[in-house]
Amino acid sequence: VPFVQCFAEADREIAGLANRWGCPVLSLDSDFFVFDLAGGYCPLSHFQWQSVRAAAGPQGCYVPARCFSAERFCRHFGALSKALLPLFAVMSGNDFIGLEALEAFFSKVRLPRGCAAGRGGKHLRLQGLLNWLAQFAEPAEAVESVLKYLKKHQREEIRELLCTSMEDYAPSDVNLEDFFQNGCYECEAARKADVPQWVLDALAKGKLAPFVINALLLRSTFLRVQVENMQRPSAHSTALPIRQVIYGLLLRVSYGTEDVSPSKQTNALPTVCEFDRCQKTLKKTFVQAASLPSDFRDDRFPLDKLTEVPMSCRQMLLLETLGVKMSFLEPIPSHLQLAVAVTCYWIRCSEPKVKLNQLKALLLVIVSGELQRITDDPDPTVLPAEDDSIAYNEFLKWKEKKLQSNDFDLDAGHSLCQWQCCLQMGLYLNQLLGTPLSEPDLSSRLYTGTLVHRLYQELKSAPSVESLFILSPKMAQLYMVLLNTVES
């Protein structure tokens, strides 16, 4: 499925592309009720996925859905113009503006009565506002009328806020069609922010995460919370040194003279504001970027020239960050090397320490994913070995039997969350450095939480489960290579 990852808020760019192609927008974002979309808006919550129906003629089958049209919606409110819907959204309280500033308006204006019986106060206010807006031909006229109800000293500020917020509903002038036809993503906001072209291209193609742009431009990032032990430090704390290297690459400063004292150099390092959990509350922490090796501090290689740093140097920075030598990874299949390097880092840095059975459970899941890959998607040039198919069928029978348990070890879960945080940041650093190690397949073939927990519980009571793949010599050998590499 061709896709593009937009530089900033994607809504306006989606609306622009939908109108250019005459397509409806499929989403779960209520802002699309407000955009003037030629093909309408289909909320994903109204797709009847289980009710596939046959259509007459060449169309084949279809999934029943609902398509929302701004034009038809406006007809319910007399002469309401579609151009007034953005003002309605802003006044109703969207993502960016609260209702507090407009409470004076709502308390003084006499809104027409809502037209639906039995609705609560909020619905009556919304319907009354729509009926009230229907008397105006254009948004500017309605804004002036709103301002009359406010105190004089508030009017200019509120006018600016309303007008700026309404602009968020104007389809973007970014031509996304260009990207889908020739891979070119041009964006005025990125030009103004002076983002290097290679970063913008990689972001558009999904080869860099939004995390990178947030750190680069906003100097802040939200770290997502998983199902973890809330009494322990956040699972993200284990991956902090990896994030600091990412921040160092994105925000690195030039160290002018050799005689600057180490303490002054440290003070010059930029910081990123991280939002993470502390127990069950949100905590803001300013994290200092890492000081990088000399190759990356060289003025010849600022961020826009990062791709020109020799690949051997970029690989060395990645491996030094993860604390692994390339010679250790050579016996590992290339598409698993990054995951194994991250696993070594996790064992060294996680707190509390990783238990051996947690490591074994994790490696068994990785092996099961490999077995699935060679069985379900065999290399067309190599016939799948019969013992691999037998081993996979035996594994599926075991899995069917064992996944029913509801046991959950919170500390084991927390430790595995730490591994996922380390993998995420290891992946982001690898992407930023131009993938010196192959990217792993991040589907369920690499990691399945439920299966890891089941295997961990099983290993505690029945160590023989470690021989789960004994019927496939190839997989049994892969498991031992993974285990020996990490343990060494």
Side-chain angles (χ1 to χ4, degrees):
V1 176
F3 74 96
V4 61
Q5 182 168 258
C6 295
F7 176 71
E9 282 283 329
D11 296 4
R12 296 179 62 220
E13 296 185 24
I14 291 169
L17 184 66
N19 282 343
R20 198 175 183 92
W21 282 349
C23 298
V25 169
L26 280 59
S27 176
L28 262 184
D29 185 339
S30 60
D31 279 334
F32 288 112
F33 286 121
V34 178
F35 281 99
D36 186 8
L37 299 167
Y41 164 48
C42 298
L44 284 166
S45 51
H46 288 295
F47 278 76
Q48 298 170 36
W49 302 109
Q50 306 303 320
S51 307
V52 179
R53 295 180 193 169
Q59 289 171 296
C61 296
Y62 69 92
V63 176
R66 288 185 184 178
C67 191
F68 176 92
S69 154
E71 199 167 319
R72 290 184 64 182
F73 176 73
C74 286
R75 278 189 224 142
H76 285 278
F77 302 93
L80 178 62
S81 160
K82 286 184 290 184
L84 285 154
L85 286 182
L87 179 59
F88 164 69
V90 173
M91 291 181 69
S92 304
N94 68 355
D95 297 345
F96 302 107
I97 180 171
L99 283 173
E100 302 80 17
L102 297 173
E103 274 309 318
F105 163 78
F106 284 112
S107 63
K108 293 174 188 171
V109 71
R110 191 166 176 193
L111 295 177
R113 287 184 62 78
C115 45
R119 294 288 187 180
K122 187 175 180 191
H123 285 90
L124 287 173
R125 176 190 271 195
L126 292 175
Q127 291 188 6
L129 179 58
L130 285 160
N131 285 318
W132 183 83
L133 287 170
Q135 67 186 294
F136 302 103
E138 55 181 44
E141 191 186 338
V143 167
E144 291 310 315
S145 186
V146 168
L147 296 177
K148 286 175 191 169
Y149 291 91
L150 306 182
K151 291 176 181 168
K152 283 186 180 175
H153 70 273
Q154 289 183 309
R155 289 177 187 174
E156 279 315 303
E157 186 189 344
I158 300 298
R159 177 190 278 113
E160 194 174 331
L161 196 55
L162 290 173
C163 293
T164 307
S165 299
M166 281 193 291
E167 282 170 17
D168 291 331
Y169 295 102
S172 165
D173 54 4
V174 172
N175 184 0
L176 281 186
E177 192 171 37
D178 257 9
F179 177 82
F180 289 107
Q181 288 175 346
N182 54 39
C184 177
Y185 183 85
E186 292 290 333
C187 172
E188 185 63 29
R191 268 197 298 276
K192 283 181 183 166
D194 202 21
V195 174
Q197 190 60 45
W198 79 265
V199 172
L200 188 62
D201 291 344
L203 188 81
K205 290 171 182 168
K207 292 180 178 177
L208 285 177
F211 172 88
V212 169
I213 283 294
N214 291 341
L216 179 63
L217 296 186
L218 307 177
R219 296 223 180 171
S220 74
T221 184
F222 274 84
L223 302 173
R224 295 189 176 200
V225 180
Q226 301 183 75
V227 178
E228 54 192 271
N229 187 340
M230 295 293 174
Q231 300 312 308
R232 291 196 181 278
S234 160
H236 287 284
S237 55
T238 310
L240 174 61
I242 309 176
R243 293 199 301 278
Q244 287 177 295
V245 172
I246 294 172
Y247 302 151
L249 287 168
L250 292 172
L251 306 171
R252 63 186 183 276
V253 287
S254 161
Y255 301 95
T257 54
E258 291 296 318
D259 57 0
V260 177
S261 71
S263 62
K264 284 186 180 167
Q265 280 192 14
T266 304
N267 291 339
L269 290 169
T271 59
V272 171
C273 175
E274 292 187 342
F275 291 88
D276 196 5
R277 71 160 187 85
C278 179
Q279 295 199 321
K280 292 185 182 178
T281 59
L282 195 65
K283 186 185 177 193
K284 182 163 79 170
T285 309
F286 287 93
V287 170
Q288 207 167 53
S291 180
L292 299 172
S294 54
D295 288 329
F296 293 89
R297 288 210 302 264
D298 192 324
D299 284 346
R300 290 172 304 155
F301 297 123
L303 181 60
D304 58 343
K305 299 273 195 284
L306 181 58
T307 50
E308 295 172 26
V309 177
M311 184 58 91
S312 58
C313 296
R314 286 184 264 157
Q315 187 183 79
M316 192 171 291
L317 177 62
L318 174 68
L319 293 176
E320 280 180 4
T321 303
L322 298 176
V324 180
K325 286 188 168 65
M326 193 62 209
S327 55
F328 279 98
L329 296 178
E330 276 160 4
I332 306 292
S334 61
H335 63 284
L336 295 178
Q337 286 176 343
L338 182 62
V340 169
V342 161
T343 304
C344 296
Y345 172 92
W346 168 62
I347 285 175
R348 209 177 63 254
C349 300
S350 84
E351 191 55 50
K353 290 296 171 199
V354 177
K355 292 178 178 170
L356 181 59
N357 282 343
Q358 291 168 5
L359 169 64
K360 287 179 174 179
L362 178 65
L363 297 181
L364 284 168
V365 167
I366 292 173
V367 172
S368 75
E370 283 299 287
L371 186 57
Q372 182 193 351
R373 186 175 65 81
I374 63 172
T375 310
D376 289 351
D377 303 320
D379 181 339
T381 61
V382 183
L383 282 171
E386 192 180 342
D387 49 21
D388 290 336
S389 301
I390 294 167
Y392 187 50
N393 287 332
E394 287 302 310
F395 165 70
L396 290 177
K397 284 180 202 165
W398 177 90
K399 188 174 156 187
E400 191 78 19
K401 202 166 52 186
K402 296 293 182 183
L403 282 183
Q404 308 309 317
S405 168
N406 290 323
D407 291 346
F408 182 72
D409 182 317
L410 188 56
D411 276 336
H414 190 81
S415 184
L416 291 158
C417 283
Q418 290 176 326
W419 181 81
Q420 290 180 86
C421 293
C422 295
L423 180 70
Q424 181 187 37
M425 291 305 154
L427 185 80
Y428 290 173
L429 177 57
N430 190 50
Q431 290 173 338
L432 189 58
L433 291 168
T435 57
L437 292 182
S438 300
E439 274 205 7
D441 174 1
L442 287 181
S443 67
S444 59
R445 288 179 184 176
L446 185 70
Y447 181 85
T448 310
T450 318
L451 183 56
V452 170
H453 285 90
R454 189 66 248 129
L455 281 162
Y456 171 65
Q457 300 285 11
E458 194 78 2
L459 281 162
K460 286 193 291 187
S461 57
S464 60
V465 79
E466 201 175 349
S467 306
L468 201 54
F469 303 108
I470 200 77
L471 292 171
S472 164
K474 196 191 303 175
M475 291 299 119
Q477 186 192 3
L478 174 63
Y479 172 70
M480 290 315 298
V481 168
L482 294 175
L483 185 59
N484 292 336
T485 301
V486 176
E487 286 187 319
S488 67

